[in-house]
Amino acid sequence: MKAIITIFTALLFTLLANRAEGAVQGETRFVFIGDSITGQGGGWLNTGYVFKMREALSAAHPERKYTLVPLGGSGMGVASWLALARDAERQKRELDIKGVEIEAALSERADVMIVMLGMNDVLAPYVGDTDESLDQWIANYRDLVGVMSERLKPELIALATITPQTEDPETPVNRVLARMNARITTLAGELHGRVLPTNAVYWDELARCRKVQADFSLAADRIHPNSTGHIAVAMAMLNGLRERTASVWLREERLAKLLASLKPVTAPTPPPEWLLSSGLVLRAWQDKPSDTDLAPNPIDLSIESGTDFTKATTQPGGASLSWRRFQSNIGLTDGANPGSVDFAGATFFQNFEAGYGARWIRSPSARRLKLNMKTSGVGTALHLTVWVNGQRLYSDLLAKEPKRQTTREVDLSAGWNVLVFKSCHRTWQWQQALNFSELDGTEPEGLEYSGSPPHHTAGRDSLRPERFVEDK
């Protein structure tokens, strides 16, 4: 009898040890619910995080069989996934990954169900930054997990935190993401599930890489992870699932080799500042902003008349906008570009919102230059109006231009000049870049930039360059 108890105790300890190491044992089926990051995770052959998880699990446990089913849909947020989960007819199709039909994927039980959603909710955005909006978002998230659990009947539910949108932790969007991730963590605890620390591991690995190569990025567009970013996501998920052997294998066999290839690079020189404002609410638009919103408002008229547009109101008798200084950095979209303005670095913007940017440029002589305008934002839909010294230089849909860029020749005066843009944003990333070059495309010499009106004009009402008094 004593021998039987001893054998049973040994078997029990073996079972508990195995459970501590992994999510589930034997043949394991994972189903991933996500957006385009999961679409790339399962569609980017041998590089996406789903492939990396399978590779690492198979290396760590060659005796086991793993089936990983990625359901990733571009543009999808929590509410759109919930609507899809409740509509059987819409499930008779594929999402981003060819050959993976939704209905078929959901018709078979999953051992592990992983949900990683939220990026598009802040990127589109589908949510506001109020507690009320975020509480509704997590309520929808809870409902989605409930509906999907009924279908998949998983042994384990795992919720992944949202990876960063921009690689600057202090941006308004990442501060909102932190609040959303706190809600995800709470929900996972209430469901007796696991939290997969994808956000935290992303930041850790980014910091590790930037100690060597200061301009390194885990996501070129500041949304979708690159090959190194997908390894970081896979490691985070394996850690959260307590598959530590697989996670260590992935770090040593895959990540370490990438880190060894990094080349020492110092941080880029901080670009000149801009003066920014935002918060001008527009009417909803699809092809272009309404004629009413494109008609000159008091701010536009002040720009063109050369008066202090920072004090002008948005409409007659209305309030003025709040203006603040802004400096891009490598954590933002096209952040190393000295003329880039990614509004995600300044505000948690909403759909159908307009903002302004201004920069003062001092030229040692009168000269003709070229102004280069482009947008690099994913899905960017914006109408851009540009003035130089009060003269309207451009007004059109920048993302519709060939290669999403255009140029205009412009005459700068000797002394201080002012460049101002108005950007009417519809959805997704809100970024534009405006840079001067010589007519042959080379870098102009001798220009001085300022993100505020030159100090020696303090007390003057006019912002026209000809009113600026040169220092003697």
Side-chain angles (χ1 to χ4, degrees):
M1 182 69 176
K2 183 176 180 181
I4 294 175
I5 293 174
T6 301
I7 292 172
F8 175 78
T9 302
L11 288 172
L12 178 61
F13 274 110
T14 300
L15 177 64
L16 291 174
N18 286 340
R19 174 63 64 191
E21 165 62 18
V24 290
Q25 307 304 309
E27 184 172 339
T28 309
R29 184 173 189 262
F30 294 78
V31 175
F32 299 81
I33 309 299
D35 48 37
S36 58
I37 296 176
T38 296
Q40 293 180 1
W44 192 356
L45 188 63
N46 297 326
T47 301
Y49 78 80
V50 175
F51 289 98
K52 291 304 178 187
M53 287 181 69
R54 181 189 290 120
E55 182 184 26
L57 287 166
S58 298
H61 311 291
E63 74 284 0
R64 302 179 194 167
K65 180 181 178 181
Y66 296 97
T67 301
L68 284 72
V69 183
L71 290 172
S74 293
M76 296 188 72
V78 168
S80 53
W81 248 111
L82 178 59
L84 176 61
R86 287 171 169 169
D87 189 340
E89 284 301 311
R90 292 177 56 208
Q91 295 170 18
K92 301 178 186 296
R93 64 184 180 94
E94 302 167 345
L95 290 172
D96 287 5
I97 303 172
K98 300 300 181 185
V100 181
E101 186 192 58
I102 304 168
E103 184 180 55
L106 298 180
S107 64
E108 185 179 345
R109 179 183 170 277
D111 297 293
V112 182
M113 181 179 78
I114 295 176
V115 182
M116 185 166 72
L117 287 168
M119 175 63 77
N120 289 322
D121 290 297
V122 297
L123 184 62
Y126 302 139
V127 300
D129 60 354
T130 65
D131 283 332
E132 180 182 10
S133 178
L134 300 186
D135 288 345
Q136 181 59 59
W137 175 81
I138 200 65
N140 289 338
Y141 200 126
R142 177 190 293 276
D143 290 346
L144 172 63
V145 172
V147 173
M148 299 305 285
S149 296
E150 282 295 314
R151 290 288 299 274
L152 293 169
K153 296 179 171 52
E155 180 179 339
L156 177 65
I157 296 171
L159 309 183
T161 51
I162 312 162
T163 50
Q165 202 282 288
T166 77
E167 291 181 337
D168 179 346
E170 296 305 315
T171 57
V173 65
N174 278 328
R175 291 199 295 268
V176 172
L177 277 180
R179 293 160 61 195
M180 296 167 75
N181 284 333
R183 286 165 167 81
I184 289 173
T185 301
T186 298
L187 177 59
E190 293 171 353
L191 297 174
H192 305 289
R194 300 266 176 85
V195 178
L196 308 183
T198 37
N199 181 277
V201 172
Y202 187 108
W203 287 120
D204 289 346
E205 297 308 322
L206 180 64
R208 190 190 312 274
C209 292
R210 285 190 174 170
K211 285 181 180 179
V212 179
Q213 186 173 320
D215 62 351
F216 189 82
S217 173
L218 291 178
D221 61 7
R222 306 305 185 258
I223 303 168
H224 301 95
N226 56 23
S227 57
T228 309
H230 276 280
I231 293 175
V233 170
M235 286 171 45
M237 289 193 173
L238 292 169
N239 283 335
L241 294 171
R242 301 176 189 171
E243 290 286 354
R244 296 183 182 88
T245 301
S247 179
V248 169
W249 182 92
L250 197 55
R251 174 177 291 281
E252 294 179 349
E253 297 299 322
R254 295 294 179 263
L255 184 62
K257 294 176 182 178
L258 289 170
L259 294 179
S261 69
L262 296 180
K263 301 186 184 304
V265 173
T266 57
T269 302
E273 291 183 335
W274 288 87
L275 189 66
L276 291 191
S277 68
S278 58
L280 180 59
V281 179
L282 306 174
R283 294 160 182 80
W285 59 280
Q286 185 63 35
D287 295 327
K288 68 171 187 174
S290 70
D291 291 340
T292 301
D293 284 326
L294 289 179
N297 63 29
I299 298 176
D300 303 345
L301 295 173
S302 180
I303 293 168
E304 294 176 356
S305 67
T307 56
D308 188 351
F309 51 82
T310 66
K311 296 179 180 178
T313 59
T314 57
Q315 58 185 351
S320 59
L321 297 176
S322 175
W323 294 77
R324 55 204 176 277
R325 295 172 79 165
F326 167 83
Q327 188 173 44
S328 187
N329 63 66
I330 58 172
L332 304 177
T333 304
D334 201 18
N337 186 326
S340 180
V341 174
D342 181 356
F343 275 94
T347 181
F348 188 78
F349 53 81
Q350 295 295 297
N351 303 122
F352 313 118
E353 181 176 340
Y356 291 84
R359 178 180 273 177
W360 284 260
I361 306 98
R362 184 178 184 177
S363 175
S365 61
R367 62 208 293 192
R368 171 158 284 204
L369 296 177
K370 192 159 57 175
L371 181 65
N372 306 288
M373 299 164 280
K374 73 168 188 173
T375 179
S376 304
V378 172
T380 295
L382 62 85
H383 184 282
L384 190 71
T385 302
V386 180
W387 297 267
V388 174
N389 296 335
Q391 299 298 310
R392 186 173 296 208
L393 192 68
Y394 175 82
S395 186
D396 213 335
L397 296 162
L398 184 57
K400 295 292 183 69
E401 299 283 0
K403 297 183 179 180
R404 310 209 304 171
Q405 57 187 316
T406 190
T407 64
R408 293 292 186 274
E409 292 188 7
V410 58
D411 290 314
L412 292 189
S413 303
W416 286 102
N417 302 262
V418 61
L419 166 66
V420 188
F421 71 82
K422 176 184 179 181
S423 182
C424 298
H425 168 252
R426 191 185 76 198
T427 188
W428 302 111
Q429 283 186 301
W430 189 8
Q431 183 272 343
Q432 49 274 297
L434 296 86
N435 287 291
F436 289 103
S437 71
E438 298 288 356
L439 298 182
D440 63 3
T442 58
E443 188 76 16
E445 296 183 358
L447 297 183
E448 177 186 344
Y449 297 92
S450 176
S452 59
H455 296 302
H456 53 258
T457 64
R460 292 180 177 270
D461 291 330
S462 176
L463 295 181
R464 280 190 183 280
E466 59 265 27
R467 292 287 299 276
F468 294 164
V469 179
E470 290 293 337
D471 292 329
K472 300 297 184 182

